[in-house]
Amino acid sequence: MHNNGSPATVAQTGGRYFGFVNGGIVPAALAAKWLSDTWDQNAALYVISPIASVLEEVCEKWFVDLFNLPQNTAAGFVGGSSTATLCGLTAGRNHLLHQLGYDVGKKGLFGAPEIRVILGEGAHSTIYKALSILGLGSERIIKVPADKQGRISVDDVPELDNRTLLILQAGNVNSGSFDDINTLCQRARIAGSWVHVDGAFGLWAAASEELRHLTKGVELADSWSVDAHKTLNAPYDNGIVLCRNRDSLVQALHMTGSYIIYSDHRDGMLYTSDMSRRARIVELWATMKSLGKKGISELVEDLHHKALYFSKALEEIGFTIKNEVCFNQVLASLGKSDLTEKTLKHIQESKECWCGGAKWEDETVIRISVSSYRTTYEDIDRSVKAFAEAKWKASRINPTSVS
């Protein structure tokens, strides 16, 4: 396994990996993961794993405090924000239908009152996947235009009502931009709509003194999805669903059986779509405990500052930055898609650093995600040199093409 497998892995925990939004692993969390793997706990019920139950209860309180959420907010600990989104939207769908006097758990969607789904054009693909699984389809979704940064256009959002599931973003997957959560959540509260915030990597801005203005009003939403294995730098796989209405989440996800032993303590399976699952809460607790509230704030801000540094350094060597760098995402371009694509290929082949590509306003861009605590300014300087060399290689005229 080591001889063949280790050379085929990706050093995503290193300081010069900027592909996707993959964080590193803080040391305490890695050690806790080794211990947890030895325990091999099933986090379904308190009676199966008391330690997992207690740590989930502790971390739930920490998340409420970090993000300044309503006191009764419930947390479910899942594999990633894709599952967290599915859980949050399930709770939202069922809650809206219940308010309309319809029990979808008993009757299914056959003949159910129609509810509306509103989201921005820049919504992540996992949102559409979750909506498809929930039977809400894609053709009937109301897609609101986005601005040049990928933010939902507030003025184009239709009138909200108590049949509406509104989905907002805290961190666009490409630009890192944040929707005007405060304005739209206030409208939704008045109208009785359910608001879900997709905050896979961006919700962590709420834990930063410097950046929490980006998430202003986020506490007014009804459910949130976020990853710990991204910005927080916890190990894979660590996702969290948060829900203002604890009963709505439990009623949407709970199951029964004569053999199931519920307790007076926290039974984690009530808050997720899984029953049996590994006790990922152990390394999540260790990550948060080792960093502390101040350390988490400093981590989030450090990633942002390094993204700004990276973007300015690239501008100095002739790249155009296509987005307003408001968090940890940078979109770099050379103006022509073919030239940018060739440059990206050379960057990836250099093995100095690794970045991915994306389409932004119908143009190919190099997508840089500064997500690892291990990234240093020296790492960025080395990466910028790799960008410069790749740009030079991609710009050379091929002699064979000259007549």
Side-chain angles (χ1 to χ4, degrees):
M1 178 66 76
H2 169 65
N3 290 340
N4 294 286
S6 292
T9 60
V10 175
Q12 66 184 43
T13 58
R16 295 190 301 280
Y17 184 86
F18 307 106
F20 306 98
V21 193
N22 292 340
I25 306 177
V26 298
L30 179 58
K33 190 174 190 295
W34 292 337
L35 180 60
S36 177
D37 285 345
T38 303
W39 290 347
D40 194 26
Q41 296 289 279
N42 181 346
L45 298 163
Y46 177 87
V47 71
I48 299 178
S49 180
I51 182 60
S53 172
V54 171
L55 293 182
E56 286 191 358
E57 188 173 9
V58 170
C59 287
E60 180 181 85
K61 293 177 181 178
W62 285 350
F63 276 111
V64 170
D65 180 55
L66 271 175
F67 299 148
N68 192 33
L69 301 180
Q71 284 303 307
N72 194 43
T73 296
F77 300 96
V78 296
S81 57
S82 294
T83 303
T85 295
L86 178 62
C87 293
L89 294 182
T90 301
R93 180 200 65 181
N94 292 10
H95 176 85
L96 291 175
L97 290 174
H98 178 73
Q99 295 295 99
L100 296 171
Y102 188 85
D103 189 337
V104 66
K106 293 180 178 179
K107 300 179 181 179
L109 291 175
F110 305 102
E114 184 172 337
I115 61 174
R116 296 188 305 165
V117 177
I118 300 176
L119 47 70
E121 287 183 339
H124 195 274
S125 57
T126 55
I127 299 293
Y128 292 98
K129 179 169 67 173
L131 292 172
S132 175
I133 293 172
L134 291 174
L136 298 176
S138 59
E139 293 184 357
R140 300 178 68 87
I141 294 172
I142 300 173
K143 299 178 185 178
V144 180
D147 66 13
K148 290 185 177 297
Q149 295 301 314
R151 298 177 292 237
I152 190 170
S153 173
V154 174
D155 293 338
D156 291 320
V157 174
E159 185 175 353
L160 304 176
D161 56 28
N162 64 350
R163 295 171 176 259
T164 301
L165 185 59
L166 174 63
I167 302 169
L168 302 177
Q169 271 193 323
N172 179 279
V173 69
N174 288 317
S175 70
S177 64
F178 290 67
D179 289 339
D180 186 346
I181 297 171
N182 188 48
T183 297
L184 292 173
C185 276
Q186 290 194 42
R187 288 188 195 174
R189 301 300 299 172
I190 295 172
S193 305
W194 181 286
V195 180
H196 178 81
V197 176
D198 173 15
F201 64 91
L203 190 59
W204 291 101
S208 159
E209 294 181 10
E210 177 185 342
L211 299 171
R212 65 169 55 116
H213 66 276
L214 296 170
T215 58
K216 182 180 179 181
V218 75
E219 72 280 358
L220 300 176
D222 297 283
S223 58
W224 308 262
S225 51
V226 61
D227 279 322
H229 53 235
K230 291 184 169 70
T231 308
L232 186 65
N233 281 243
Y236 277 93
D237 53 357
N238 264 288
I240 306 99
V241 57
L242 296 151
C243 188
R244 166 190 293 270
N245 190 318
R246 184 176 296 269
D247 290 340
S248 292
L249 187 64
V250 172
Q251 289 172 11
L253 302 175
H254 84 287
M255 57 178 285
T256 60
S258 61
Y259 71 98
I260 296 175
I261 305 173
Y262 288 119
S263 70
D264 294 330
H265 304 277
R266 177 188 170 94
D267 292 306
M269 61 176 281
L270 292 173
Y271 306 97
T272 76
S273 56
D274 297 320
M275 182 178 176
S276 294
R277 57 194 167 86
R278 74 180 191 88
R280 56 178 61 90
I281 193 63
V282 176
E283 59 254 32
L284 176 54
W285 175 88
T287 305
M288 299 176 76
K289 179 67 174 178
S290 66
L291 290 172
K293 190 173 183 179
K294 182 180 180 182
I296 292 173
S297 177
E298 291 174 348
L299 169 62
V300 174
E301 292 160 11
D302 184 60
L303 296 176
H304 170 59
H305 295 158
K306 286 171 179 171
L308 285 172
Y309 179 87
F310 208 146
S311 67
K312 291 175 182 177
L314 289 177
E315 284 181 319
E316 291 176 0
I317 61 171
F319 285 83
T320 298
I321 304 303
K322 305 294 289 185
N323 64 316
E324 299 170 5
V325 183
C326 66
F327 199 57
N328 68 340
Q329 298 292 106
V330 181
L331 300 178
S333 166
L334 287 170
K336 297 181 179 180
S337 289
D338 59 341
L339 181 58
T340 302
E341 288 174 3
K342 291 177 182 178
T343 300
L344 175 59
K345 183 178 179 181
H346 287 303
I347 292 170
Q348 293 173 340
E349 291 175 348
S350 74
K351 297 185 179 180
E352 271 290 282
C353 64
W354 201 92
C355 305
K359 288 289 184 180
W360 190 254
E361 297 182 325
D362 297 322
E363 179 187 338
T364 296
V365 293
I366 300 172
R367 179 175 174 271
I368 303 163
S369 300
V370 184
S371 305
S372 176
Y373 81 96
R374 295 182 64 182
T375 296
T376 64
Y377 287 101
E378 181 183 0
D379 284 323
I380 295 173
D381 290 340
R382 284 182 59 174
S383 299
V384 170
K385 289 181 181 179
F387 270 70
E389 184 174 346
K391 174 191 171 188
W392 176 77
K393 289 180 178 178
S395 301
R396 287 186 300 173
I397 298 175
N398 185 348
T400 60
S401 66
V402 179
S403 59

